[in-house]
Amino acid sequence: QVQVAESGGGLVQAGESLRLSCAASGRIFRIGAMAWYRQAPGKQRELVATITSGGSPNYVDSVKGRFTISRDNAKNTVYLQMNSLKPEDTAVYYCMAANVLTPTSHVVDYWGKGTLVTVSS
């Protein structure tokens, strides 16, 4: 059984920074891309950033220059460094591990339960 767990959320003031972590655990042979999504109250979940297994990142325009996604393949972990946070960044942030290959030979996407980030003005 594969589990994905996020950590690092909290309450910060505008302009401050937070670092989110997400670790995938269990019997994992390989993980494809990893990604961070977020869902603000009353809004749809949106993709924030992705990173390929080779380390190539991509970002939604609203976070470019402020957020940095990185990963440690040896630890099956992805990070999201968030700088210059704004009140509009307030949301539950979810991690997704894509195309996870396990000993059962199934390839499945796994989601974490989310971590809340609140940015006060």
Side-chain angles (χ1 to χ4, degrees), residues 1-4 23-31 76 97 100-103 110:
Q1 184 73 8
V2 175
Q3 293 185 330
V4 174
S25 60
R27 299 186 68 193
I28 298 171
F29 284 160
R30 186 196 70 228
I31 299 176
N76 291 331
V100 179
L101 179 63
T102 66
Y110 290 91

Side-chain angles (χ1 to χ4, degrees), residues 42-93:
K43 295 187 177 181
Q44 290 187 331
R45 189 174 298 189
E46 68 166 345
L47 177 62
V48 176
T50 62
I51 187 166
T52 66
S53 57
S56 296
N58 212 342
Y59 303 93
V60 68
D61 285 347
S62 60
V63 307
K64 284 181 179 177
R66 300 188 298 122
F67 290 11
T68 301
I69 189 171
S70 60
R71 66 189 286 173
D72 184 334
N73 289 335
K75 297 180 179 179
N76 291 331
T77 299
V78 64
Y79 306 96
L80 187 67
Q81 177 67 42
M82 305 185 295
N83 298 329
S84 303
L85 282 161
K86 304 175 180 180
E88 51 263 44
D89 294 318
T90 295
V92 177
Y93 283 71

